[in-house]
Amino acid sequence: MSPATQAVYRDEGIEHVSRPIRIGVQIQPQHADYEQIRRAVAEAEEAGVDIVFNWDHFFPLSGDADGKHFECWTMLGAWAEATSRVEIGALVSCNSYRNPDLLADMARTVDHISNGRLILGIGAGWFQRDYDEYGYEFGTPGSRLADLAQALPRIRERWTKLNPRPQRDIPILIGGGGEKKTLRMVAEHASTWHSFSDAQTLERKSHILADHCADVGRDPAEIERSTGVPALSTSSPEDMAAGLLAAGATLFTIGVSGPNYDLGAVREWVAWRDQRNAPA
């Protein structure tokens, strides 16, 4: 975003740099054949979304717990070839499932396949069935967060050692809202923070994030605020987003599940984005 398109405002002591609104869609890789998933990704790109996400689980999170499901990172490699414009990534990749240096290499490879369109979404992990059935140690929330804190600098350091290096400074999206640990990692490493918060909580935690940014010498305006929004709602995007926009969110992601990926709400959000981003 060029300086000419930036607007700066202050809210209770926090300086914000306005960003263009972006729309993501999470194509949840559950209850569908891969052909249906691939078609949904193509339709999402055609609809004009900015980012297409999947998720990093081994079993469905809703519906039939033993229903159809596909793996995250092999799918991202396929999406990198099948798309040409949208950014792609996981919302979010689980740190526990891969050695951090290997994950860095995987991300670098998908970055090259996609010609620089990968976002590395990452989190500490939470879904115990994934851990138990695939043989990973579940640990505690504290131990998983500690592992993520150790992994993030390893990932970034590995990117500097790979040949070839990533095509761009791969954006890191961190998901979660823990105020002492997760938001500290966001301040240190992330270009996007994905919050699972309502508007009031997002505003409060943004102030906490700003404090962490001050501690590490970073401008909090550098960090994009991201949130999920429901696919099914009687409210318009304008109504649903109003409070979240005021709290600083500019990336809105709609989750859709298989087998029939209904992108009707996604198109409504894209149309709303275009209205809001249009020059005055």
Side-chain angles (χ1 to χ4, degrees), residues 95 156 183 264:
N95 174 68
R156 298 176 66 178
L183 292 183

Side-chain angles (χ1 to χ4, degrees), residues 201-265:
T201 304
L202 177 62
E203 178 67 24
R204 181 178 62 79
K205 292 192 177 187
S206 285
H207 285 272
I208 296 170
L209 175 59
D211 291 339
H212 286 300
C213 286
D215 290 343
V216 302
R218 189 174 181 198
D219 182 353
E222 296 176 1
I223 302 170
E224 179 181 43
R225 271 61 163 182
S226 167
T227 190
V229 291
L232 299 176
S233 175
T234 58
S235 300
S236 68
E238 183 70 36
D239 291 339
M240 281 190 281
L244 293 165
L245 277 171
T250 55
L251 172 56
F252 299 88
T253 296
I254 304 96
V256 291
S257 179
N260 300 313
Y261 292 98
D262 184 351
L263 300 186

Side-chain angles (χ1 to χ4, degrees), residues 167-181:
Q167 290 200 7
R168 65 170 177 172
D169 185 7
I170 296 176
I172 295 175
L173 177 154
I174 294 178
E179 297 175 4
K180 293 182 179 180
K181 297 179 180 180

Side-chain angles (χ1 to χ4, degrees), residues 120-186:
L120 177 59
I122 193 167
W126 63 274
F127 189 44
Q128 186 167 355
R129 185 184 180 191
D130 285 345
Y131 287 78
D132 291 347
E133 294 218 24
Y134 276 59
Y136 295 106
E137 181 180 352
F138 188 54
T140 65
S143 68
R144 295 193 298 276
L145 284 167
D147 288 344
L148 179 59
Q150 293 179 353
L152 286 163
R154 285 180 60 183
I155 289 168
R156 298 176 66 178
E157 182 180 4
R158 178 55 55 187
W159 283 336
T160 70
K161 297 177 179 179
L162 292 170
N163 184 14
R165 292 189 180 185
Q167 290 200 7
R168 65 170 177 172
D169 185 7
I170 296 176
I172 295 175
L173 177 154
I174 294 178
E179 297 175 4
K180 293 182 179 180
K181 297 179 180 180
T182 302
L183 292 183
R184 180 72 175 204
M185 287 184 267
V186 171

